[in-house]
Amino acid sequence: MGYAKERGKLEQLLTRINNIGSYDEKNLANLVDGHEKYSHTIRILKNKEPETFINLYEKELQEVKDGKKLVKESDSDEARQNNFTVYKDAVIRAIEKTIKATKESL
């Protein structure tokens, strides 16, 4: 199965998220939006081919959710910045793994 449409969305999303800088409310809103778009796309892929994408859906998406939770629970600016970076890296890693899976499942 080809996943060019979903892969294209993910590649655009990856570029957008890579351009997000340090923590502020606007960047957090952009990252959360990217997280939601990733979540929607991985759900579509999981429904199309569960064998390939179920692990990404369960494991990677959970790591992204955990990163978001850390940012929201941060009690200092320094912790918030560090957790924002962890969250951003989790989203990037999840997207990269999903793009790779779409290429390998051709």
Side-chain angles (χ1 to χ4, degrees):
M1 282 188 160
Y3 300 104
K5 180 179 175 183
E6 288 83 4
R7 186 171 49 249
K9 288 180 190 177
L10 291 170
E11 289 168 346
Q12 287 179 338
L13 186 58
L14 182 60
T15 300
R16 205 176 101 213
I17 290 175
N18 274 325
N19 291 329
I20 294 175
S22 60
Y23 173 82
D24 64 27
E25 290 301 317
K26 181 181 175 188
N27 285 340
L28 179 59
N30 287 331
L31 188 55
V32 169
D33 181 59
H35 167 183
E36 290 171 359
K37 288 180 179 178
Y38 169 74
S39 177
H40 177 74
T41 303
I42 192 65
R43 193 171 299 116
I44 289 169
L45 292 168
K46 176 198 59 106
N47 289 339
K48 286 183 178 181
E49 192 175 333
E51 306 82 41
T52 302
F53 296 103
I54 191 73
N55 190 41
L56 291 166
Y57 178 78
E58 292 174 347
K59 186 175 183 284
E60 300 303 322
L61 191 54
Q62 186 59 49
E63 287 180 16
V64 170
K65 289 177 184 178
D66 292 344
K68 180 180 177 182
K69 185 177 177 184
L70 285 173
V71 173
K72 295 208 180 259
E73 293 176 349
S74 300
D75 55 357
S76 71
D77 290 340
E78 184 179 341
R80 194 170 292 113
Q81 178 59 53
N82 290 338
N83 291 331
F84 179 79
T85 302
V86 169
Y87 179 35
K88 178 181 168 184
D89 291 345
V91 174
I92 290 171
R93 200 170 35 254
I95 293 170
E96 288 173 341
K97 286 182 178 182
T98 306
I99 290 170
K100 182 179 178 191
T102 62
K103 289 178 180 176
E104 291 174 350
S105 68
L106 295 176

